[in-house]
Amino acid sequence: MENETLVAAQNLGAAAHDLSMISLFMRADIVVQLVMIVLILASFWCWAIIIDKIIKFRKVTAESDDFEHDFWSGGNLEDLYKKVGPNPDNPMAVLFASAMREWMRSTEKGLDKYSSAGLQARIHQVMRVAIDREMDRLEKYLGFLATVGSTATFLGLFGTVWGIMNSFQSIAATKDTSLAVVAPGIAEALFATALGLVAAIPAVVAYNKFSNDLQRIITRLEGFAGEFSAILSRQLDQEN
């Protein structure tokens, strides 16, 4: 009987000193567990967004390079428009297709020196709208990265504070302040902070990188829009 009691006490002590992540989660308070679950899910979702954005931004850059090569190769603009189609996926090709659609719709009716000025204004407007629309599409989910990056550490800190409060209550109840009693509770509490950092750090780094990449894409699109507008303007002047 005494041997069974000793074995049970040893097992209980081993469980109390088990500091594996699963054990820390299972022994934590329900509030701390909810915080951990939210942070883990946020971390997984952040990595899904990060991987998706890396693939998408690389694709946009590569397709933009190919389109610019075709655009500046000296071919006919109408042939290039037929090649990219009315609804391309690449932002630069979308910009080109929007302007060409307006150009072809207006030139089919004939232009004079008065209507050509209006056409230039309309082309500039449709390209501006196309840029804004494409930026909204590329910015999708970046706000989530920013939110996680700015709030995950505080959420983890909340879980830590709550866990330490429970640890102090347990210490007061048992009236035992030995390290063996204090360490597991403190470890459970600090695990929430660790999860907060794991979620926040990649989110902040990724958000800053994608924001810089997005700004470069915007600058590139605006530069192309200005150059394309100048080309169409010169062509209008020649026709008039």
Side-chain angles (χ1 to χ4, degrees):
M1 186 69 175
E2 293 180 357
N3 291 335
E4 292 179 357
T5 304
L6 179 61
V7 170
Q10 290 175 345
N11 292 336
L12 181 61
H17 290 82
D18 184 6
L19 300 181
S20 65
M21 290 185 291
I22 295 178
S23 178
L24 291 176
F25 174 80
M26 297 302 297
R27 292 202 309 266
D29 181 81
I30 182 63
V31 174
V32 181
Q33 286 182 342
L34 290 176
V35 169
M36 292 179 180
I37 291 173
V38 170
L39 291 173
I40 290 172
L41 293 177
S43 182
F44 277 115
W45 185 239
C46 282
W47 277 108
I49 294 173
I50 290 170
I51 294 172
D52 176 71
K53 291 299 180 184
I54 289 174
I55 296 173
K56 183 172 295 183
F57 279 26
R58 287 182 177 176
K59 180 181 178 182
V60 167
T61 301
E63 290 181 348
S64 295
D65 291 339
D66 293 339
F67 175 79
E68 279 197 308
H69 178 269
D70 293 338
F71 180 81
W72 294 111
S73 63
N76 186 277
L77 293 180
E78 293 184 2
D79 292 339
L80 181 59
Y81 175 66
K82 293 177 182 178
K83 178 180 178 181
V84 300
N87 298 304
D89 293 331
N90 182 260
M92 191 169 292
V94 169
L95 190 64
F96 169 79
S98 300
M100 284 298 297
R101 188 160 48 245
E102 183 63 31
W103 165 271
M104 296 177 68
R105 185 184 298 119
S106 299
T107 53
E108 287 175 356
K109 300 176 182 179
L111 292 172
D112 53 34
K113 64 180 181 179
Y114 300 105
S115 58
S116 62
L119 174 58
Q120 292 181 40
R122 290 195 300 274
I123 289 176
H124 176 77
Q125 182 63 26
V126 297
M127 287 196 292
R128 183 70 259 173
V129 171
I131 291 175
D132 292 340
R133 188 182 298 116
E134 290 303 307
M135 290 308 99
D136 288 341
R137 185 170 65 90
L138 292 175
E139 285 177 346
K140 191 176 182 181
Y141 300 126
L142 288 186
F144 182 81
L145 292 180
T147 301
V148 172
S150 61
T151 61
T153 52
F154 295 104
L155 185 59
L157 182 61
F158 167 75
T160 296
V161 172
W162 190 277
I164 290 176
M165 289 171 57
N166 289 332
S167 297
F168 285 160
Q169 291 175 356
S170 299
I171 291 171
T174 59
K175 297 181 181 180
D176 188 353
T177 58
S178 64
L179 184 62
V181 174
V182 175
I186 300 299
E188 295 165 15
L190 293 177
F191 185 44
T193 297
L195 288 177
L197 294 174
V198 167
I201 292 174
V204 171
V205 173
Y207 176 78
N208 291 335
K209 179 188 183 304
F210 294 142
S211 295
N212 292 333
D213 292 344
L214 188 61
Q215 187 58 48
R216 284 195 292 269
I217 293 174
I218 293 174
T219 302
R220 188 174 183 180
L221 289 177
E222 289 177 344
F224 174 77
E227 293 172 338
F228 190 36
S229 295
I231 292 173
L232 294 179
S233 179
R234 285 193 297 269
Q235 188 163 340
L236 285 173
D237 291 340
Q238 291 174 1
E239 292 181 357
N240 292 326

